[in-house]
Amino acid sequence: MPQSPVKQVQSAYGIWHNARIAPAGNPDQTISDAAIVVRNGVIAWIGSEAEMPAEFIDARLPRHDVANRWITPGLIDCHTHLVYGGNRADEFALRLAGASYEEIARRGGGIVSTVRATREADEESLFRQAARRLEALLAEGVTTIEIKSGYGLDLQTERKMLRVARRLGASYPVTVYTTFLGAHAVPPEYQGRADAYIDLVCNEMLPVLHAEGLIDAVDVFCENIGFSVAQSERVFAVASKLGLPVKMHADQLSNIGATQLATRFKALSVDHLEHLSEADVIEMQQSGTVAVLLPGAYYFIRETKQPPLELLRRHRIPMAISTDSNPGTSPTTSLLLMLNMSCTLFRMTVAEALLGVTGNAALALGKADRHGLLAAGRAADFVIWSVDSLAELAYWSGLNPCSAVVRCGLSGKAT
């Protein structure tokens, strides 16, 4: 097993006490003088220590004094592109020097360069590169992550990416959910033939990869520079027939009806959303679709139009936050930094931000029954924070206050 930033111990049993706990990640709903009892990696009881049942007080379970630190559910990064080859730092420098996206593309840059590097890399190389990025996230208390494909754009490489994502989940103390994003861009060999490429996605790639057990959900980049609403609908129709949930990169650069399509298919989430309309938000409310906000991409591409937070609040749409970790528009491996950015750039409250990486992020994955909440019967995935106030998780920029992570009852000091 690779070296993890969280050292695991061999006990899945214990009582973590003398703690302050936010069971749902909400700083407005907390328990003081609290304790968590873990048996076989599962929370057996949680509450005020003074009310702990005698059966747990008398049990010979290891005790861990949290020293009045804060405990939250394990953090969830619900939108990432963590597996890819190479990076685009040189292109970043070119853009800063004044080169346009079109100029960079003519030089073989942009997404084409990442597709090329990902196709050329073997599985072991992709695993090593992604593991480094994953370790940074784990060190900040991430216990659940979504990883998309989409830099292969052919069956062989998409399979390779998804296999690496599955391997990361098997090798590290993290739950990985995989999303097929074959409809991310038109590959070089299909330039000018987007419909033919969608044929490949729908008729071969998606059915085969699903049959191989490599896909948990399906995503599409529906945008003027991506795929049309009609093309996206074809992908969603196949996913629906296969029983796979869908999500969508929507309304980042323009509004072409992406969210309207996603909500017709009861999408788990729509992500980015800078150009979201009120009509879209109303549809999201009716379909139960989560808004995933990606402040890292907003910051990195110097976007000026913000997602419509007031509309989302008014219609009570759950809002999640994620890194969107990717080589082109959000090369970040810090979910804690995204908390800070969501508050400073989008004016989210601390409570909204923390719910965005716990309970609402679980909703965005369709896994609210498994993640994002500390309760009896749930897996013991939680983080211990060395902070006086949970607001510090969004306040600090560049400081990691993660003291320890308990992952299914396996505890270790964060390095």
Side-chain angles (χ1 to χ4, degrees), residues 32-49:
S32 300
D33 301 316
I36 298 177
V37 179
V38 176
R39 280 181 165 173
N40 197 30
V42 175
I43 297 173
W45 182 86
I46 182 172
S48 172
E49 191 168 359

Side-chain angles (χ1 to χ4, degrees), residues 256-268:
I256 63 171
T259 294
Q260 295 281 332
L261 171 65
T263 56
R264 279 205 285 118
F265 281 85
K266 307 293 183 185
L268 294 175

Side-chain angles (χ1 to χ4, degrees), residues 236-249:
F236 278 5
V238 174
S240 180
K241 288 180 181 178
L242 294 173
L244 289 166
V246 299
K247 54 185 69 177
M248 181 173 276
H249 285 63

Side-chain angles (χ1 to χ4, degrees), residues 47-316:
S48 172
E49 191 168 359
E51 299 174 358
M52 186 184 297
E55 64 176 296
F56 301 124
I57 297 174
D58 297 337
R60 293 184 177 181
L61 295 173
R63 285 183 168 261
H64 308 273
D65 189 340
V66 177
N68 203 36
R69 292 183 174 93
W70 279 101
I71 292 178
T72 69
L75 304 189
I76 302 166
D77 200 354
C78 64
H79 178 133
T80 84
H81 306 253
L82 209 66
V83 177
Y84 56 85
N87 66 70
R88 282 152 56 191
D90 289 343
E91 294 176 24
F92 175 62
L94 287 172
R95 286 204 308 274
L96 293 177
S100 69
Y101 183 85
E102 289 75 16
E103 289 171 330
I104 292 171
R106 282 198 299 269
R107 299 183 193 184
I111 191 172
V112 172
S113 66
T114 299
V115 171
R116 182 171 57 249
T118 305
R119 287 179 175 181
E120 292 174 353
D122 61 24
E123 192 168 314
E124 190 61 37
S125 174
L126 286 178
F127 178 81
R128 289 196 305 269
Q129 293 177 65
R132 181 184 178 191
R133 296 184 278 267
L134 177 62
E135 288 173 1
L137 291 164
L138 298 187
E140 291 189 346
V142 171
T143 59
T144 303
I145 188 169
E146 183 252 26
I147 300 177
K148 303 178 191 295
S149 66
Y151 289 118
L153 310 183
D154 60 30
L155 177 59
Q156 178 181 351
T157 315
E158 291 289 301
R159 175 190 284 124
K160 182 171 60 177
M161 293 181 68
L162 292 165
R163 283 172 53 88
V164 168
R166 289 282 198 233
R167 183 178 165 192
L168 289 168
S171 301
Y172 283 92
V174 63
T175 299
V176 172
Y177 293 106
T178 57
T179 296
F180 173 66
L181 183 57
H184 189 196
V186 179
E189 62 271 22
Y190 277 88
Q191 283 303 312
R193 299 187 297 129
D195 284 329
Y197 177 64
I198 291 297
D199 287 342
L200 177 69
V201 169
C202 292
N203 299 333
E204 181 177 352
M205 295 168 66
L206 181 47
V208 169
L209 296 172
H210 170 61
E212 293 176 359
L214 292 173
I215 303 175
D216 296 317
V218 175
D219 197 348
V220 176
F221 181 40
C222 184
E223 187 58 77
N224 284 320
I225 63 170
F227 294 94
S228 70
V229 170
Q231 290 163 343
S232 302
E233 184 172 8
R234 290 178 58 197
V235 178
F236 278 5
V238 174
S240 180
K241 288 180 181 178
L242 294 173
L244 289 166
V246 299
K247 54 185 69 177
M248 181 173 276
H249 285 63
D251 302 325
Q252 179 185 13
L253 306 174
S254 62
N255 190 319
I256 63 171
T259 294
Q260 295 281 332
L261 171 65
T263 56
R264 279 205 285 118
F265 281 85
K266 307 293 183 185
L268 294 175
S269 70
V270 284
D271 305 29
H272 285 291
L273 305 180
E274 282 82 350
H275 291 261
L276 194 68
S277 71
E278 184 163 15
D280 297 328
V281 175
I282 292 171
E283 293 293 332
M284 290 173 65
Q285 183 187 56
Q286 295 173 353
S287 65
T289 300
V290 177
V292 177
L293 307 181
L294 304 170
Y298 174 92
Y299 163 81
F300 195 78
I301 67 173
R302 299 192 226 183
E303 179 60 77
T304 57
K305 185 175 179 61
Q306 297 182 354
L309 266 289
E310 287 306 318
L311 279 178
L312 294 169
R313 287 171 177 143
R314 187 187 314 157
H315 293 280
R316 299 184 178 181

Side-chain angles (χ1 to χ4, degrees), residues 5-36:
V6 180
K7 295 181 180 178
Q8 292 182 298
V9 298
Q10 296 304 308
S11 175
Y13 297 82
I15 298 175
W16 281 260
H17 66 103
N18 189 18
R20 292 174 286 175
I21 301 176
N26 188 342
D28 298 327
Q29 299 172 358
T30 64
I31 309 172
S32 300
D33 301 316
I36 298 177

Side-chain angles (χ1 to χ4, degrees), residues 23-25 73-74 76 144 357-360 362 367-368 370-374 378:
I76 302 166
T144 303
V357 295
T358 52
N360 287 345
K367 303 295 180 183
R370 301 185 188 181
H371 307 290
L373 175 68
L374 301 178
R378 295 275 190 134

